[in-house]
Amino acid sequence: MPFKLISTEGEQTFELRSGGTLVVGRALTSDIPVLDPTISRRHAEVLWDDTGVHVKDLGSSNGTFLNGVKVEAAKLSPGDVITFGKVPFRLKEIVGDSRPGPTDTPSSFGPVVAPGATIVRALPVRSDSRQPFAAVRSSQTTTGVVDESTPARRVQEKNEQKLALLLEVSKGLTSAVDVDALLEKIVGEVYKILDVDRVAILLVDDQMQLQPKIARDKRGTTAGKMVPQSIVRKVVEEKVAILSDNTLEDQRFGGQSIVMQRVRSAMCGPLIGSEERVLGVLYVDNLTTAHRFSEEDLEFLIAFAGIAGVAIENSQFADRIRRETLARSNFERFFAPGLAARIASSPDAVKLGGEKRQVAVLFSDIRGFTALSETMTPEEIATLLSEYFTEMVECVFRNNGTLDKFIGDAVMAQWGAPIGEPDDADRAMHAALEMMTALDELNARWRAEGRPQLSIGIGLNFGEAFAGNIGSERRLEFTVIGDTVNTASRLCSAADGGEILLSEDFRRALHEPPPLDEREPIELKGKSQRISLYCVTTT
């Protein structure tokens, strides 16, 4: 008596072969393909011989169960429920004519449908089922010699053409880097092999919403809003590829857009990137003929979408790398390299606006530079300042500071914006001390070369300031402004050559202050009261 396995939900039916062993697995080339993540690629074997129906687990990850009990091997009886992973099937005896009738059609791929049904297939798309060439290869298998004039030979030639195209497409698409050009190429390749009226691609944006990127008909005309949302929602939410051979009667897709656009046949598959992330969808349809697409067409669409998804993700990644590299090269002129990388990867790094932050501000200025410059040629001044600024900026960057700007022969730096740390004041203090040491070393070298020497004063302050990108969209400058900045500048002006002056606010912010001498409070422009003043003790 013939037997068949029927899924408990009635979606899949497989007729067993007498004397034959069938492999159950997630691979499309399995004798009984069950496309579920709990199924291993080679999950189990089912054998029907003279002694009955037997099942044998093939070392699957999630096990095989007979009537709820895990088994390695067992004999089945009619009515038993055998569960592969988490997908249960019931063994049923076929009574009467063993040929499959309208409701007993064996299916290797998804729902068993009666004649006239409108849904041909909804195929789960997961990492293992997206191997680009597996589906096309499996549909090519033939036995014996095929007459070149037969329909079977023509089908085989068509499949060979599909495989050759996929191999060519995989090379062409994965080498493209511009996303827009890549999408145009994808649409062109689809028209080469599939009999479709329209092609569309939608991609997920930064807000995780699907946005139309390209939609073309056969004439190359933009097709507008052509993708039925009812189909797209199911494809994205369930990660399935859909083939509907008569969308006007398809109970799943009752959207008005299908009726209004007169869509007759449609296929849609997800574009899936790494970590099973949906990047978008690839949609094709036919406006004139129902039953236009076959299961082989859907297999090709899945394979093609797998290649396209990889190409799109690579292209998006390359675009992001180019943008971040450009932004990083700009930021590294002002920020320490590690901080520049963190800022460049932030989507808000170059937007207008800002915020109030607690910052440590450093100003350094060359004493007597105007008089010195009168004795030097422009080339000598430029060389001297370049060497000086190079060393000063390195002191800032070594301590993870931000170079705010050069003001003539002065340097302004700050710690705390756009990213602050608990020891920002200590970092600024260390930078100031290193500046003095670096200048001593420069002066020693310049003295040996018979060149002029420099002397600087440094002012430090800590407090609240406005920090952000100031300017226009065409030219932005990240800076800090406010009374805290002005006070640091005036402290710098009050410092003699070789002095580092700091405010009371800065001293309180230090965790590890260096030796300090308290000075008499001083009056500063714009301040109604004298401010307390400290000077770093040098040895």
Side-chain angles (χ1 to χ4, degrees):
M1 190 72 67
F3 295 91
K4 61 183 177 181
L5 286 174
I6 304 175
S7 66
T8 56
E9 296 180 359
E11 292 183 346
Q12 290 181 285
T13 298
F14 301 95
E15 187 172 325
L16 305 184
R17 296 197 300 262
S18 177
T21 300
L22 303 179
V23 175
V24 180
R26 194 170 73 245
L28 290 173
T29 52
S30 301
D31 300 305
I32 302 178
V34 183
L35 302 175
D36 186 273
T38 65
I39 305 294
S40 299
R41 290 184 62 81
R42 286 178 54 84
H43 193 100
E45 290 180 346
V46 178
L47 169 66
W48 173 29
D49 59 17
D50 294 337
T51 63
V53 179
H54 305 265
V55 66
K56 177 183 177 182
D57 188 271
L58 297 178
S60 64
S61 299
N62 294 299
T64 301
F65 302 82
L66 175 59
N67 298 323
V69 178
K70 188 174 183 180
V71 295
E72 299 297 327
K75 181 179 179 181
L76 308 182
S77 300
D80 282 346
V81 174
I82 184 71
T83 302
F84 307 105
K86 293 185 178 181
V87 183
F89 288 81
R90 188 178 300 277
L91 182 67
K92 183 177 179 181
E93 216 169 12
I94 302 177
V95 180
D97 187 359
S98 62
R99 293 173 299 177
T103 59
D104 294 323
T105 305
S107 171
S108 299
F109 304 103
V112 177
V113 294
T118 62
I119 305 171
V120 175
R121 195 165 165 196
L123 176 62
V125 178
R126 298 186 173 90
S127 57
D128 288 355
S129 64
R130 289 186 294 114
Q131 298 299 321
F133 310 115
V136 178
R137 280 201 301 265
S138 65
S139 63
Q140 282 186 276
T141 305
T142 57
T143 57
V145 179
V146 180
D147 188 334
E148 294 187 2
S149 64
T150 63
R153 177 57 182 171
R154 289 194 292 272
V155 170
Q156 182 178 351
E157 289 175 348
K158 189 72 170 179
N159 286 333
E160 290 172 352
Q161 182 185 5
K162 289 180 181 179
L163 179 56
L165 177 60
L166 285 176
L167 290 169
E168 189 64 29
V169 165
S170 67
K171 292 185 290 184
L173 294 189
T174 54
S175 63
V177 293
D178 180 77
V179 174
D180 292 335
L182 174 63
L183 299 182
E184 291 281 0
K185 190 176 182 68
I186 290 172
V187 169
E189 297 293 350
V190 170
Y191 275 121
K192 286 182 182 179
I193 197 65
L194 291 176
D195 184 13
V196 299
D197 289 331
R198 303 185 301 179
V199 181
I201 296 174
L202 291 79
L203 297 182
V204 175
D205 62 15
D206 293 337
Q207 284 71 46
M208 304 307 295
Q209 299 296 316
L210 277 173
Q211 299 295 334
K213 288 297 181 181
I214 190 170
R216 298 279 188 273
D217 60 20
K218 281 185 174 180
R219 298 185 299 275
T221 306
T222 300
K225 295 182 179 180
M226 57 171 278
V227 182
Q229 293 302 304
S230 52
I231 291 180
V232 169
R233 281 194 300 271
K234 186 173 183 68
V235 169
V236 173
E237 291 171 3
E238 301 183 20
K239 292 184 182 178
V240 296
I242 290 207
L243 188 164
S244 183
D245 67 354
N246 193 341
T247 56
L248 295 177
E249 299 178 9
D250 196 323
Q251 296 299 313
R252 292 180 303 178
F253 311 126
Q256 289 298 313
S257 59
I258 291 177
V259 177
M260 293 175 63
Q261 296 184 58
R262 297 176 290 107
V263 177
R264 299 301 303 274
S265 302
M267 292 192 296
C268 187
L271 300 165
I272 298 180
S274 57
E275 299 179 356
E276 298 299 300
R277 183 170 60 94
V278 176
L279 306 174
V281 298
L282 173 61
Y283 171 88
V284 300
D285 66 21
N286 190 286
L287 303 178
T288 58
T289 308
H291 310 287
R292 173 58 64 92
F293 303 129
S294 66
E295 292 184 351
E296 287 76 16
D297 290 329
L298 184 62
E299 289 290 356
F300 175 79
L301 185 79
I302 292 170
F304 188 95
I307 297 172
V310 171
I312 289 171
E313 185 173 52
N314 288 343
S315 187
Q316 290 175 337
F317 180 71
D319 279 350
R320 186 169 67 252
I321 290 297
R322 285 195 295 271
R323 289 195 303 270
E324 290 185 5
T325 299
L326 178 60
R328 186 169 177 175
S329 66
N330 290 330
F331 285 131
E332 284 183 349
R333 293 183 299 163
F334 305 103
F335 300 100
L339 182 59
R342 294 169 65 184
I343 298 171
S345 61
S346 169
D348 299 323
V350 293
K351 289 184 178 179
L352 288 171
E355 60 183 338
K356 290 183 177 180
R357 298 191 65 89
Q358 292 290 318
V359 295
V361 183
L362 177 152
F363 273 86
S364 72
D365 194 12
I366 299 175
R367 295 292 172 259
F369 183 73
T370 301
L372 178 65
S373 63
E374 292 176 353
T375 65
M376 303 171 66
T377 66
E379 292 78 9
E380 289 173 335
I381 294 172
T383 300
L384 189 75
L385 286 178
S386 294
E387 294 180 20
Y388 164 72
F389 283 139
T390 296
E391 292 298 328
M392 298 303 103
V393 170
E394 283 301 312
C395 294
V396 172
F397 283 176
R398 274 199 300 271
N399 290 280
N400 291 325
T402 296
L403 174 65
D404 193 289
K405 60 176 66 72
F406 297 120
I407 308 170
D409 57 90
V411 175
M412 175 185 168
Q414 57 89 7
W415 286 254
I419 300 173
E421 300 291 347
D423 60 346
D424 283 331
D426 293 275
R427 293 174 186 269
M429 186 77 259
H430 292 157
L433 294 170
E434 289 181 18
M435 284 177 165
M436 290 297 187
T437 301
L439 183 60
D440 287 342
E441 294 173 356
L442 277 175
N443 281 331
R445 177 160 60 84
W446 290 337
R447 188 183 309 113
E449 297 172 356
R451 298 165 64 187
Q453 299 165 58
L454 301 179
S455 176
I456 62 173
I458 296 177
L460 295 164
N461 192 25
F462 186 89
E464 187 177 78
F466 174 85
N469 288 291
I470 307 299
S472 69
E473 291 286 1
R474 294 180 63 86
R475 179 175 175 82
L476 293 175
E477 179 181 85
F478 186 88
T479 188
V480 292
I481 58 177
D483 182 65
T484 297
V485 178
N486 296 337
T487 299
S489 175
R490 286 160 188 156
L491 288 174
C492 176
S493 299
D496 291 331
E499 281 190 338
I500 301 174
L501 298 183
L502 53 142
S503 66
E504 173 67 22
D505 290 334
F506 189 91
R507 187 191 68 82
R508 285 199 301 265
L510 289 169
H511 294 88
E512 298 178 358
L516 299 173
D517 285 337
E518 186 173 3
R519 296 282 184 88
E520 288 292 327
I522 63 171
E523 291 184 358
L524 294 178
K525 183 179 178 181
K527 292 287 187 181
S528 59
Q529 295 180 346
R530 291 172 174 264
I531 69 166
S532 298
L533 189 66
Y534 296 86
C535 179
V536 175
T537 301
T538 57
T539 57

